[in-house]
Amino acid sequence: MIYNIAIDGPAGAGKSTIAKKVARELSCVYVDTGAMYRAMALYLLRRNVDRENPEEIGEVCQGAEISIEYKNGEQIVLLNGENVNPFLRREEVGNMASVSSANPKVREKLLDLQRKLAASMSVVMDGRDIGTTILPNAEVKIYLTASSLTRAERRYLELQEKGLSCDLEEIRKDIEERDSRDMNREISPLRQAEDAVLVDSSEMTIEEVVKCILQIFHEKVILSDEVGKNEG
Ligand code: DC
């Protein structure tokens, strides 16, 4: 049986950490759609596009072919054949991705790839519009969030651990700006799907969130499959 788990939510809510662990527990594939938008943003940055010019973004993005492959369970994003994973987590790439992902031409280019992956195998896919647009029939939909202060604090600790100097208030401002762009764009804005379960991780550990999602999976997929078999 192929099943799909969609995890959406704002930047810094812990989606990728959680989604990876859930996928490992269920022995299915983790698909990071943010990385695809970041690869597209990297391409646009390399081509020096004007981020204020949607027409230029729409035109230039046509030259980017994005695909993914898996090596030892890790998702590798290929941009015109080049493994671009080492560049994707940079701050400027994330900021550009938040701008360019609002462009309909960019979204159109990535939609097919995401749907095909989910149709071919069981996946835990995270992003912003997975439950609402990409996989409206996903068996499990989670909207994972946390307060902007909690998300900023997590990011602050992450940067500090890497030995990078940073300012908590600035990080919080950046997160709130990104939320506002992701939630208020015209096409596929970030929002909770009607049938998604809201999980607020502000006061939860990673393990608690993973457990909670596995429980929801169990109720929605395993139990309902057993009920279906008994009725059939
Ligand atoms: O999750 P992330 O930070 O890697 O995502 C980078 C940007 O890509 C984010 O600002 C919004 C965008 N994005 C999107 O619009 N739709 C998705 N399904 C995933 C990410």
Side-chain angles (χ1 to χ4, degrees), residues 3-8 13-23 25-26 123-124 126 139-145 197-201 204-222:
Y3 56 81
N4 295 156
I5 299 178
I7 303 183
D8 291 302
K15 295 186 299 293
S16 60
T17 307
I18 305 286
K20 248 182 231 166
K21 285 182 182 275
V22 171
E25 288 287 331
L26 299 174
V123 296
V124 179
D126 79 359
E139 280 75 9
V140 178
K141 294 184 188 176
I142 306 291
Y143 189 82
L144 183 64
T145 189
V197 180
L198 174 71
V199 179
D200 185 331
S201 73
M204 293 167 86
T205 64
I206 292 170
E207 293 316 321
E208 283 169 340
V209 177
V210 171
K211 205 169 148 197
C212 167
I213 295 176
L214 290 174
Q215 178 74 29
I216 296 167
F217 170 80
H218 194 76
E219 282 161 20
K220 298 222 179 213
V221 177
I222 307 293

mmCIF file of all heavy atoms in Angstrom, residues 3-8 13-23 25-26 123-124 126 139-145 197-201 204-222:
data_model
loop_
_atom_site.group_PDB
_atom_site.id
_atom_site.type_symbol
_atom_site.label_atom_id
_atom_site.label_comp_id
_atom_site.label_asym_id
_atom_site.label_seq_id
_atom_site.Cartn_x
_atom_site.Cartn_y
_atom_site.Cartn_z
ATOM 1 N N TYR A 3 1.170 5.163 0.825
ATOM 2 C CA TYR A 3 0.475 6.216 1.572
ATOM 3 C C TYR A 3 1.348 7.462 1.595
ATOM 4 O O TYR A 3 2.569 7.392 1.422
ATOM 5 C CB TYR A 3 0.134 5.761 3.007
ATOM 6 C CG TYR A 3 1.333 5.300 3.768
ATOM 7 C CD1 TYR A 3 2.191 6.221 4.367
ATOM 8 C CD2 TYR A 3 1.637 3.947 3.866
ATOM 9 C CE1 TYR A 3 3.317 5.812 5.028
ATOM 10 C CE2 TYR A 3 2.786 3.527 4.535
ATOM 11 C CZ TYR A 3 3.610 4.464 5.107
ATOM 12 O OH TYR A 3 4.745 4.066 5.764
ATOM 13 N N ASN A 4 0.699 8.601 1.787
ATOM 14 C CA ASN A 4 1.418 9.888 1.806
ATOM 15 C C ASN A 4 1.134 10.641 3.096
ATOM 16 O O ASN A 4 -0.020 10.735 3.522
ATOM 17 C CB ASN A 4 0.981 10.770 0.629
ATOM 18 C CG ASN A 4 1.358 10.205 -0.731
ATOM 19 O OD1 ASN A 4 0.731 10.526 -1.724
ATOM 20 N ND2 ASN A 4 2.374 9.365 -0.798
ATOM 21 N N ILE A 5 2.180 11.162 3.685
ATOM 22 C CA ILE A 5 2.037 11.991 4.886
ATOM 23 C C ILE A 5 2.518 13.396 4.523
ATOM 24 O O ILE A 5 3.658 13.567 4.079
ATOM 25 C CB ILE A 5 2.880 11.428 6.052
ATOM 26 C CG1 ILE A 5 2.397 10.006 6.384
ATOM 27 C CG2 ILE A 5 2.791 12.341 7.275
ATOM 28 C CD1 ILE A 5 3.191 9.317 7.487
ATOM 29 N N ALA A 6 1.645 14.374 4.673
ATOM 30 C CA ALA A 6 1.991 15.766 4.336
ATOM 31 C C ALA A 6 2.245 16.538 5.625
ATOM 32 O O ALA A 6 1.411 16.505 6.538
ATOM 33 C CB ALA A 6 0.837 16.397 3.567
ATOM 34 N N ILE A 7 3.388 17.211 5.691
ATOM 35 C CA ILE A 7 3.676 18.052 6.860
ATOM 36 C C ILE A 7 3.951 19.476 6.374
ATOM 37 O O ILE A 7 4.929 19.721 5.666
ATOM 38 C CB ILE A 7 4.884 17.527 7.673
ATOM 39 C CG1 ILE A 7 4.625 16.074 8.106
ATOM 40 C CG2 ILE A 7 5.138 18.419 8.889
ATOM 41 C CD1 ILE A 7 5.722 15.468 8.993
ATOM 42 N N ASP A 8 3.062 20.376 6.717
ATOM 43 C CA ASP A 8 3.241 21.784 6.351
ATOM 44 C C ASP A 8 3.436 22.615 7.603
ATOM 45 O O ASP A 8 3.057 22.201 8.704
ATOM 46 C CB ASP A 8 1.999 22.289 5.600
ATOM 47 C CG ASP A 8 1.878 21.659 4.221
ATOM 48 O OD1 ASP A 8 2.825 21.821 3.426
ATOM 49 O OD2 ASP A 8 0.857 21.002 3.945
ATOM 50 N N ALA A 13 9.769 25.529 12.204
ATOM 51 C CA ALA A 13 8.880 24.785 13.108
ATOM 52 C C ALA A 13 9.430 23.387 13.406
ATOM 53 O O ALA A 13 8.883 22.664 14.229
ATOM 54 C CB ALA A 13 7.483 24.691 12.519
ATOM 55 N N GLY A 14 10.494 23.007 12.697
ATOM 56 C CA GLY A 14 11.105 21.686 12.926
ATOM 57 C C GLY A 14 10.602 20.634 11.953
ATOM 58 O O GLY A 14 10.807 19.433 12.182
ATOM 59 N N LYS A 15 9.993 21.077 10.858
ATOM 60 C CA LYS A 15 9.393 20.122 9.914
ATOM 61 C C LYS A 15 10.390 19.070 9.407
ATOM 62 O O LYS A 15 10.084 17.894 9.416
ATOM 63 C CB LYS A 15 8.808 20.846 8.689
ATOM 64 C CG LYS A 15 7.645 21.753 8.993
ATOM 65 C CD LYS A 15 7.045 22.299 7.710
ATOM 66 C CE LYS A 15 8.006 23.120 6.873
ATOM 67 N NZ LYS A 15 8.440 24.402 7.480
ATOM 68 N N SER A 16 11.570 19.534 8.967
ATOM 69 C CA SER A 16 12.463 18.567 8.328
ATOM 70 C C SER A 16 13.019 17.569 9.343
ATOM 71 O O SER A 16 13.080 16.372 9.056
ATOM 72 C CB SER A 16 13.578 19.269 7.554
ATOM 73 O OG SER A 16 14.333 20.048 8.426
ATOM 74 N N THR A 17 13.374 18.046 10.525
ATOM 75 C CA THR A 17 13.877 17.129 11.565
ATOM 76 C C THR A 17 12.826 16.069 11.881
ATOM 77 O O THR A 17 13.109 14.870 11.939
ATOM 78 C CB THR A 17 14.181 17.926 12.867
ATOM 79 O OG1 THR A 17 15.028 19.006 12.522
ATOM 80 C CG2 THR A 17 14.798 17.073 13.931
ATOM 81 N N ILE A 18 11.596 16.542 12.076
ATOM 82 C CA ILE A 18 10.502 15.645 12.457
ATOM 83 C C ILE A 18 10.163 14.698 11.296
ATOM 84 O O ILE A 18 10.020 13.483 11.486
ATOM 85 C CB ILE A 18 9.234 16.474 12.821
ATOM 86 C CG1 ILE A 18 9.545 17.503 13.907
ATOM 87 C CG2 ILE A 18 8.048 15.581 13.141
ATOM 88 C CD1 ILE A 18 9.723 17.009 15.279
ATOM 89 N N ALA A 19 10.043 15.275 10.090
ATOM 90 C CA ALA A 19 9.640 14.470 8.932
ATOM 91 C C ALA A 19 10.655 13.359 8.662
ATOM 92 O O ALA A 19 10.289 12.230 8.350
ATOM 93 C CB ALA A 19 9.485 15.362 7.706
ATOM 94 N N LYS A 20 11.943 13.684 8.813
ATOM 95 C CA LYS A 20 12.999 12.685 8.600
ATOM 96 C C LYS A 20 12.837 11.523 9.574
ATOM 97 O O LYS A 20 12.942 10.369 9.208
ATOM 98 C CB LYS A 20 14.361 13.338 8.867
ATOM 99 C CG LYS A 20 15.204 13.491 7.633
ATOM 100 C CD LYS A 20 16.551 14.090 8.001
ATOM 101 C CE LYS A 20 16.813 15.279 7.107
ATOM 102 N NZ LYS A 20 17.883 16.128 7.537
ATOM 103 N N LYS A 21 12.573 11.861 10.841
ATOM 104 C CA LYS A 21 12.464 10.813 11.863
ATOM 105 C C LYS A 21 11.209 9.964 11.639
ATOM 106 O O LYS A 21 11.239 8.747 11.791
ATOM 107 C CB LYS A 21 12.434 11.425 13.266
ATOM 108 C CG LYS A 21 13.798 11.910 13.714
ATOM 109 C CD LYS A 21 13.745 12.473 15.118
ATOM 110 C CE LYS A 21 15.103 12.998 15.546
ATOM 111 N NZ LYS A 21 15.980 11.957 16.107
ATOM 112 N N VAL A 22 10.112 10.621 11.267
ATOM 113 C CA VAL A 22 8.871 9.872 11.014
ATOM 114 C C VAL A 22 9.098 8.926 9.828
ATOM 115 O O VAL A 22 8.717 7.754 9.867
ATOM 116 C CB VAL A 22 7.684 10.831 10.735
ATOM 117 C CG1 VAL A 22 6.453 10.070 10.261
ATOM 118 C CG2 VAL A 22 7.352 11.638 11.998
ATOM 119 N N ALA A 23 9.765 9.425 8.779
ATOM 120 C CA ALA A 23 10.019 8.597 7.599
ATOM 121 C C ALA A 23 10.890 7.391 7.973
ATOM 122 O O ALA A 23 10.650 6.273 7.515
ATOM 123 C CB ALA A 23 10.692 9.427 6.512
ATOM 124 N N GLU A 25 11.100 5.926 10.919
ATOM 125 C CA GLU A 25 10.286 4.987 11.718
ATOM 126 C C GLU A 25 9.385 4.146 10.827
ATOM 127 O O GLU A 25 9.126 2.988 11.106
ATOM 128 C CB GLU A 25 9.389 5.766 12.706
ATOM 129 C CG GLU A 25 10.128 6.389 13.868
ATOM 130 C CD GLU A 25 10.597 5.368 14.886
ATOM 131 O OE1 GLU A 25 9.948 4.320 15.023
ATOM 132 O OE2 GLU A 25 11.645 5.627 15.525
ATOM 133 N N LEU A 26 8.888 4.756 9.748
ATOM 134 C CA LEU A 26 7.926 4.047 8.891
ATOM 135 C C LEU A 26 8.596 3.410 7.675
ATOM 136 O O LEU A 26 7.921 2.874 6.808
ATOM 137 C CB LEU A 26 6.823 5.024 8.431
ATOM 138 C CG LEU A 26 5.983 5.644 9.554
ATOM 139 C CD1 LEU A 26 5.031 6.681 9.002
ATOM 140 C CD2 LEU A 26 5.203 4.559 10.301
ATOM 141 N N VAL A 123 5.601 8.376 1.004
ATOM 142 C CA VAL A 123 6.501 9.473 1.369
ATOM 143 C C VAL A 123 5.994 10.250 2.573
ATOM 144 O O VAL A 123 4.790 10.304 2.830
ATOM 145 C CB VAL A 123 6.674 10.504 0.211
ATOM 146 C CG1 VAL A 123 7.345 9.878 -0.989
ATOM 147 C CG2 VAL A 123 5.356 11.155 -0.175
ATOM 148 N N VAL A 124 6.942 10.856 3.269
ATOM 149 C CA VAL A 124 6.630 11.927 4.206
ATOM 150 C C VAL A 124 7.154 13.169 3.498
ATOM 151 O O VAL A 124 8.356 13.283 3.258
ATOM 152 C CB VAL A 124 7.348 11.760 5.557
ATOM 153 C CG1 VAL A 124 6.991 12.917 6.482
ATOM 154 C CG2 VAL A 124 6.987 10.433 6.208
ATOM 155 N N ASP A 126 7.441 17.326 3.244
ATOM 156 C CA ASP A 126 7.190 18.562 3.989
ATOM 157 C C ASP A 126 7.330 19.796 3.100
ATOM 158 O O ASP A 126 7.969 19.753 2.055
ATOM 159 C CB ASP A 126 8.044 18.648 5.261
ATOM 160 C CG ASP A 126 9.485 19.068 5.001
ATOM 161 O OD1 ASP A 126 9.852 19.280 3.847
ATOM 162 O OD2 ASP A 126 10.238 19.185 5.992
ATOM 163 N N GLU A 139 -3.104 10.732 3.039
ATOM 164 C CA GLU A 139 -3.784 9.994 4.117
ATOM 165 C C GLU A 139 -3.645 10.723 5.458
ATOM 166 O O GLU A 139 -4.542 10.710 6.285
ATOM 167 C CB GLU A 139 -3.187 8.585 4.254
ATOM 168 C CG GLU A 139 -3.684 7.583 3.235
ATOM 169 C CD GLU A 139 -3.088 7.776 1.836
ATOM 170 O OE1 GLU A 139 -2.152 8.586 1.670
ATOM 171 O OE2 GLU A 139 -3.591 7.124 0.904
ATOM 172 N N VAL A 140 -2.479 11.344 5.668
ATOM 173 C CA VAL A 140 -2.244 12.065 6.929
ATOM 174 C C VAL A 140 -1.759 13.472 6.595
ATOM 175 O O VAL A 140 -0.871 13.645 5.764
ATOM 176 C CB VAL A 140 -1.161 11.349 7.780
ATOM 177 C CG1 VAL A 140 -0.882 12.125 9.056
ATOM 178 C CG2 VAL A 140 -1.591 9.920 8.112
ATOM 179 N N LYS A 141 -2.380 14.464 7.225
ATOM 180 C CA LYS A 141 -1.927 15.849 7.034
ATOM 181 C C LYS A 141 -1.665 16.480 8.401
ATOM 182 O O LYS A 141 -2.527 16.434 9.279
ATOM 183 C CB LYS A 141 -3.014 16.677 6.330
ATOM 184 C CG LYS A 141 -3.290 16.237 4.914
ATOM 185 C CD LYS A 141 -4.307 17.160 4.274
ATOM 186 C CE LYS A 141 -4.746 16.618 2.932
ATOM 187 N NZ LYS A 141 -5.803 17.446 2.324
ATOM 188 N N ILE A 142 -0.478 17.029 8.532
ATOM 189 C CA ILE A 142 -0.096 17.662 9.792
ATOM 190 C C ILE A 142 0.234 19.127 9.505
ATOM 191 O O ILE A 142 0.931 19.425 8.522
ATOM 192 C CB ILE A 142 1.180 16.997 10.385
ATOM 193 C CG1 ILE A 142 1.018 15.471 10.516
ATOM 194 C CG2 ILE A 142 1.578 17.647 11.706
ATOM 195 C CD1 ILE A 142 0.026 15.009 11.563
ATOM 196 N N TYR A 143 -0.241 20.016 10.348
ATOM 197 C CA TYR A 143 0.198 21.417 10.284
ATOM 198 C C TYR A 143 1.044 21.640 11.524
ATOM 199 O O TYR A 143 0.529 21.705 12.643
ATOM 200 C CB TYR A 143 -1.007 22.368 10.239
ATOM 201 C CG TYR A 143 -0.581 23.796 9.950
ATOM 202 C CD1 TYR A 143 -0.341 24.208 8.649
ATOM 203 C CD2 TYR A 143 -0.409 24.716 10.982
ATOM 204 C CE1 TYR A 143 0.075 25.512 8.368
ATOM 205 C CE2 TYR A 143 0.000 26.022 10.716
ATOM 206 C CZ TYR A 143 0.231 26.408 9.408
ATOM 207 O OH TYR A 143 0.642 27.690 9.129
ATOM 208 N N LEU A 144 2.359 21.701 11.312
ATOM 209 C CA LEU A 144 3.296 21.791 12.438
ATOM 210 C C LEU A 144 3.745 23.235 12.632
ATOM 211 O O LEU A 144 4.303 23.847 11.719
ATOM 212 C CB LEU A 144 4.513 20.905 12.132
ATOM 213 C CG LEU A 144 5.577 20.823 13.225
ATOM 214 C CD1 LEU A 144 5.029 20.172 14.489
ATOM 215 C CD2 LEU A 144 6.787 20.031 12.724
ATOM 216 N N THR A 145 3.481 23.760 13.808
ATOM 217 C CA THR A 145 3.867 25.150 14.041
ATOM 218 C C THR A 145 4.502 25.310 15.424
ATOM 219 O O THR A 145 4.587 24.355 16.206
ATOM 220 C CB THR A 145 2.643 26.083 13.850
ATOM 221 O OG1 THR A 145 3.102 27.430 13.879
ATOM 222 C CG2 THR A 145 1.586 25.861 14.905
ATOM 223 N N VAL A 197 -4.215 18.013 10.955
ATOM 224 C CA VAL A 197 -4.171 18.063 12.420
ATOM 225 C C VAL A 197 -3.132 19.110 12.820
ATOM 226 O O VAL A 197 -1.996 19.078 12.342
ATOM 227 C CB VAL A 197 -3.770 16.690 13.008
ATOM 228 C CG1 VAL A 197 -3.720 16.753 14.532
ATOM 229 C CG2 VAL A 197 -4.726 15.600 12.537
ATOM 230 N N LEU A 198 -3.525 20.033 13.679
ATOM 231 C CA LEU A 198 -2.608 21.081 14.139
ATOM 232 C C LEU A 198 -1.725 20.535 15.271
ATOM 233 O O LEU A 198 -2.237 20.009 16.257
ATOM 234 C CB LEU A 198 -3.418 22.277 14.653
ATOM 235 C CG LEU A 198 -2.604 23.396 15.294
ATOM 236 C CD1 LEU A 198 -1.802 24.151 14.251
ATOM 237 C CD2 LEU A 198 -3.514 24.360 16.044
ATOM 238 N N VAL A 199 -0.409 20.647 15.092
ATOM 239 C CA VAL A 199 0.513 20.252 16.166
ATOM 240 C C VAL A 199 1.378 21.465 16.483
ATOM 241 O O VAL A 199 2.128 21.946 15.634
ATOM 242 C CB VAL A 199 1.403 19.054 15.739
ATOM 243 C CG1 VAL A 199 2.371 18.683 16.859
ATOM 244 C CG2 VAL A 199 0.553 17.843 15.352
ATOM 245 N N ASP A 200 1.235 21.987 17.701
ATOM 246 C CA ASP A 200 2.039 23.136 18.120
ATOM 247 C C ASP A 200 3.203 22.603 18.958
ATOM 248 O O ASP A 200 2.990 22.078 20.055
ATOM 249 C CB ASP A 200 1.177 24.108 18.934
ATOM 250 C CG ASP A 200 1.958 25.371 19.289
ATOM 251 O OD1 ASP A 200 3.206 25.295 19.421
ATOM 252 O OD2 ASP A 200 1.330 26.432 19.442
ATOM 253 N N SER A 201 4.411 22.733 18.414
ATOM 254 C CA SER A 201 5.570 22.105 19.071
ATOM 255 C C SER A 201 6.279 23.026 20.056
ATOM 256 O O SER A 201 7.341 22.669 20.567
ATOM 257 C CB SER A 201 6.558 21.623 18.006
ATOM 258 O OG SER A 201 7.212 22.738 17.428
ATOM 259 N N MET A 204 6.896 21.179 23.112
ATOM 260 C CA MET A 204 7.101 19.731 22.957
ATOM 261 C C MET A 204 8.550 19.437 22.547
ATOM 262 O O MET A 204 9.168 20.238 21.851
ATOM 263 C CB MET A 204 6.173 19.162 21.862
ATOM 264 C CG MET A 204 4.704 19.203 22.215
ATOM 265 S SD MET A 204 3.684 18.874 20.755
ATOM 266 C CE MET A 204 3.613 17.097 20.752
ATOM 267 N N THR A 205 9.038 18.262 22.941
ATOM 268 C CA THR A 205 10.362 17.847 22.458
ATOM 269 C C THR A 205 10.182 17.211 21.075
ATOM 270 O O THR A 205 9.056 16.869 20.686
ATOM 271 C CB THR A 205 11.001 16.789 23.385
ATOM 272 O OG1 THR A 205 10.164 15.617 23.345
ATOM 273 C CG2 THR A 205 11.127 17.276 24.805
ATOM 274 N N ILE A 206 11.307 17.047 20.369
ATOM 275 C CA ILE A 206 11.255 16.413 19.039
ATOM 276 C C ILE A 206 10.620 15.025 19.154
ATOM 277 O O ILE A 206 9.736 14.660 18.367
ATOM 278 C CB ILE A 206 12.684 16.311 18.453
ATOM 279 C CG1 ILE A 206 13.206 17.716 18.128
ATOM 280 C CG2 ILE A 206 12.715 15.435 17.217
ATOM 281 C CD1 ILE A 206 14.672 17.784 17.768
ATOM 282 N N GLU A 207 11.059 14.270 20.162
ATOM 283 C CA GLU A 207 10.542 12.905 20.304
ATOM 284 C C GLU A 207 9.040 12.896 20.548
ATOM 285 O O GLU A 207 8.331 12.026 20.051
ATOM 286 C CB GLU A 207 11.290 12.151 21.425
ATOM 287 C CG GLU A 207 12.757 11.872 21.115
ATOM 288 C CD GLU A 207 13.008 11.366 19.682
ATOM 289 O OE1 GLU A 207 12.192 10.560 19.188
ATOM 290 O OE2 GLU A 207 13.988 11.791 19.044
ATOM 291 N N GLU A 208 8.553 13.869 21.322
ATOM 292 C CA GLU A 208 7.101 13.936 21.584
ATOM 293 C C GLU A 208 6.328 14.216 20.299
ATOM 294 O O GLU A 208 5.265 13.646 20.062
ATOM 295 C CB GLU A 208 6.798 15.024 22.624
ATOM 296 C CG GLU A 208 7.127 14.585 24.045
ATOM 297 C CD GLU A 208 7.081 15.734 25.059
ATOM 298 O OE1 GLU A 208 7.179 16.918 24.653
ATOM 299 O OE2 GLU A 208 6.970 15.445 26.246
ATOM 300 N N VAL A 209 6.879 15.102 19.470
ATOM 301 C CA VAL A 209 6.184 15.433 18.212
ATOM 302 C C VAL A 209 6.164 14.204 17.290
ATOM 303 O O VAL A 209 5.138 13.873 16.693
ATOM 304 C CB VAL A 209 6.852 16.630 17.496
ATOM 305 C CG1 VAL A 209 6.160 16.913 16.171
ATOM 306 C CG2 VAL A 209 6.824 17.873 18.369
ATOM 307 N N VAL A 210 7.299 13.510 17.211
ATOM 308 C CA VAL A 210 7.375 12.317 16.351
ATOM 309 C C VAL A 210 6.344 11.283 16.825
ATOM 310 O O VAL A 210 5.586 10.715 16.017
ATOM 311 C CB VAL A 210 8.805 11.705 16.376
ATOM 312 C CG1 VAL A 210 8.839 10.356 15.681
ATOM 313 C CG2 VAL A 210 9.791 12.663 15.730
ATOM 314 N N LYS A 211 6.282 11.075 18.127
ATOM 315 C CA LYS A 211 5.353 10.102 18.696
ATOM 316 C C LYS A 211 3.905 10.478 18.355
ATOM 317 O O LYS A 211 3.098 9.633 17.985
ATOM 318 C CB LYS A 211 5.557 10.072 20.226
ATOM 319 C CG LYS A 211 5.152 8.765 20.848
ATOM 320 C CD LYS A 211 5.623 8.704 22.282
ATOM 321 C CE LYS A 211 4.614 7.881 23.069
ATOM 322 N NZ LYS A 211 4.721 8.076 24.497
ATOM 323 N N CYS A 212 3.630 11.762 18.489
ATOM 324 C CA CYS A 212 2.286 12.261 18.220
ATOM 325 C C CYS A 212 1.892 11.998 16.754
ATOM 326 O O CYS A 212 0.793 11.531 16.457
ATOM 327 C CB CYS A 212 2.259 13.750 18.568
ATOM 328 S SG CYS A 212 0.852 14.642 17.994
ATOM 329 N N ILE A 213 2.819 12.246 15.827
ATOM 330 C CA ILE A 213 2.512 12.054 14.407
ATOM 331 C C ILE A 213 2.367 10.554 14.085
ATOM 332 O O ILE A 213 1.482 10.149 13.325
ATOM 333 C CB ILE A 213 3.588 12.719 13.510
ATOM 334 C CG1 ILE A 213 3.521 14.240 13.725
ATOM 335 C CG2 ILE A 213 3.382 12.369 12.035
ATOM 336 C CD1 ILE A 213 4.570 15.041 12.982
ATOM 337 N N LEU A 214 3.205 9.721 14.717
ATOM 338 C CA LEU A 214 3.091 8.273 14.479
ATOM 339 C C LEU A 214 1.746 7.754 14.981
ATOM 340 O O LEU A 214 1.133 6.881 14.372
ATOM 341 C CB LEU A 214 4.246 7.523 15.162
ATOM 342 C CG LEU A 214 5.621 7.739 14.515
ATOM 343 C CD1 LEU A 214 6.716 7.085 15.357
ATOM 344 C CD2 LEU A 214 5.656 7.199 13.079
ATOM 345 N N GLN A 215 1.289 8.343 16.076
ATOM 346 C CA GLN A 215 -0.019 7.971 16.636
ATOM 347 C C GLN A 215 -1.140 8.329 15.647
ATOM 348 O O GLN A 215 -2.038 7.541 15.380
ATOM 349 C CB GLN A 215 -0.194 8.740 17.964
ATOM 350 C CG GLN A 215 -1.506 8.525 18.686
ATOM 351 C CD GLN A 215 -1.544 7.145 19.331
ATOM 352 O OE1 GLN A 215 -0.491 6.620 19.698
ATOM 353 N NE2 GLN A 215 -2.734 6.562 19.410
ATOM 354 N N ILE A 216 -1.044 9.535 15.096
ATOM 355 C CA ILE A 216 -2.052 9.980 14.117
ATOM 356 C C ILE A 216 -2.013 9.064 12.879
ATOM 357 O O ILE A 216 -3.044 8.648 12.353
ATOM 358 C CB ILE A 216 -1.811 11.459 13.718
ATOM 359 C CG1 ILE A 216 -1.992 12.354 14.942
ATOM 360 C CG2 ILE A 216 -2.745 11.893 12.580
ATOM 361 C CD1 ILE A 216 -1.476 13.779 14.773
ATOM 362 N N PHE A 217 -0.806 8.720 12.441
ATOM 363 C CA PHE A 217 -0.649 7.805 11.302
ATOM 364 C C PHE A 217 -1.323 6.468 11.620
ATOM 365 O O PHE A 217 -2.047 5.908 10.793
ATOM 366 C CB PHE A 217 0.845 7.595 11.010
ATOM 367 C CG PHE A 217 1.113 6.492 10.029
ATOM 368 C CD1 PHE A 217 0.974 6.706 8.660
ATOM 369 C CD2 PHE A 217 1.486 5.223 10.467
ATOM 370 C CE1 PHE A 217 1.195 5.679 7.751
ATOM 371 C CE2 PHE A 217 1.717 4.195 9.559
ATOM 372 C CZ PHE A 217 1.577 4.423 8.203
ATOM 373 N N HIS A 218 -1.079 5.984 12.821
ATOM 374 C CA HIS A 218 -1.642 4.698 13.215
ATOM 375 C C HIS A 218 -3.178 4.734 13.153
ATOM 376 O O HIS A 218 -3.807 3.845 12.602
ATOM 377 C CB HIS A 218 -1.166 4.356 14.634
ATOM 378 C CG HIS A 218 -1.405 2.931 14.994
ATOM 379 N ND1 HIS A 218 -0.621 1.910 14.512
ATOM 380 C CD2 HIS A 218 -2.374 2.348 15.739
ATOM 381 C CE1 HIS A 218 -1.095 0.760 14.962
ATOM 382 N NE2 HIS A 218 -2.149 0.999 15.721
ATOM 383 N N GLU A 219 -3.738 5.809 13.688
ATOM 384 C CA GLU A 219 -5.203 5.916 13.700
ATOM 385 C C GLU A 219 -5.759 6.053 12.290
ATOM 386 O O GLU A 219 -6.735 5.418 11.921
ATOM 387 C CB GLU A 219 -5.635 7.156 14.505
ATOM 388 C CG GLU A 219 -5.562 6.924 15.999
ATOM 389 C CD GLU A 219 -5.532 8.238 16.773
ATOM 390 O OE1 GLU A 219 -5.939 9.287 16.209
ATOM 391 O OE2 GLU A 219 -5.068 8.216 17.932
ATOM 392 N N LYS A 220 -5.119 6.916 11.478
ATOM 393 C CA LYS A 220 -5.696 7.235 10.165
ATOM 394 C C LYS A 220 -5.391 6.191 9.106
ATOM 395 O O LYS A 220 -6.171 6.018 8.177
ATOM 396 C CB LYS A 220 -5.166 8.590 9.673
ATOM 397 C CG LYS A 220 -5.542 9.727 10.578
ATOM 398 C CD LYS A 220 -5.968 10.927 9.782
ATOM 399 C CE LYS A 220 -6.362 12.013 10.743
ATOM 400 N NZ LYS A 220 -7.399 12.865 10.307
ATOM 401 N N VAL A 221 -4.245 5.528 9.203
ATOM 402 C CA VAL A 221 -3.869 4.602 8.129
ATOM 403 C C VAL A 221 -4.018 3.143 8.565
ATOM 404 O O VAL A 221 -4.750 2.384 7.930
ATOM 405 C CB VAL A 221 -2.431 4.880 7.639
ATOM 406 C CG1 VAL A 221 -2.009 3.884 6.575
ATOM 407 C CG2 VAL A 221 -2.341 6.293 7.088
ATOM 408 N N ILE A 222 -3.369 2.761 9.655
ATOM 409 C CA ILE A 222 -3.372 1.346 10.037
ATOM 410 C C ILE A 222 -4.758 0.904 10.499
ATOM 411 O O ILE A 222 -5.331 -0.049 9.980
ATOM 412 C CB ILE A 222 -2.327 1.070 11.155
ATOM 413 C CG1 ILE A 222 -0.953 1.603 10.742
ATOM 414 C CG2 ILE A 222 -2.294 -0.406 11.506
ATOM 415 C CD1 ILE A 222 -0.291 0.895 9.589
#
